[in-house]
Amino acid sequence: MTPFGEALRRLRAERGVTQRQMAKAIGVSPAYLSALEHGNRSEPSWEFIQRVIGYFNIIWDEAEELQMLAGLSRPKVTINTSGLTPKATEVVNKLAAVIDRLDLQTLQRIETLIDSDEAFRGAGTVPDGQHRAKDKPPQ
């Protein structure tokens, strides 16, 4: 499940809406909603997110959070480390090798470390869907 899929499922549950009901109302298939919720589809389009926001009548902070979660919900991420340090490539490959075995506490510690680093604040995602590693050699 992706962060967006988890939020979508929570919104439906809070409002007592089935996948079938929501799918019909916003013009997608129930299978598509299910695939989004389970992380079997890539990040949803801006248009789709706007339909969800309108369907649930979400405003302000909650709408921004849903859009942010959608951007963090790509189940297949590519990280390009060409041009970065060998250490950046090493760390990314180690993380890729163990990500499926990390417990929630460890993932939260990694997230806290990333979020606390000024180089990462506001980094977000690159428009082509790739993340940039920020491990640059000291000058």
Side-chain angles (χ1 to χ4, degrees), residues 26-124:
I26 65 173
V28 297
S29 72
Y32 177 74
L33 284 182
S34 177
L36 269 178
E37 287 185 7
H38 288 94
N40 297 323
R41 293 294 300 222
S42 188
E43 121 185 55
S45 69
W46 181 86
E47 179 186 73
F48 176 82
I49 298 164
Q50 297 310 305
R51 284 189 266 162
V52 170
I53 288 170
Y55 178 74
F56 287 120
N57 197 26
I58 297 171
I59 60 172
W60 307 108
D61 291 344
E62 194 174 8
E64 282 184 21
E65 180 182 359
L66 194 62
Q67 291 177 48
M68 184 265 311
L69 290 175
L72 296 173
S73 293
R74 285 182 300 282
K76 296 179 183 177
V77 177
T78 301
I79 302 174
N80 182 355
T81 62
S82 60
L84 299 179
T85 65
K87 182 56 75 178
T89 301
E90 178 185 347
V91 169
V92 166
N93 279 278
K94 284 181 176 180
L95 181 59
V98 300
I99 192 75
D100 61 332
R101 298 188 307 267
L102 299 178
D103 61 28
L104 182 59
Q105 181 180 11
T106 303
L107 292 170
Q108 288 173 329
R109 287 191 351 242
I110 292 169
E111 181 180 37
T112 299
L113 178 65
I114 291 168
D115 289 346
S116 69
D117 187 329
E118 284 192 35
F120 290 95
R121 284 195 198 125

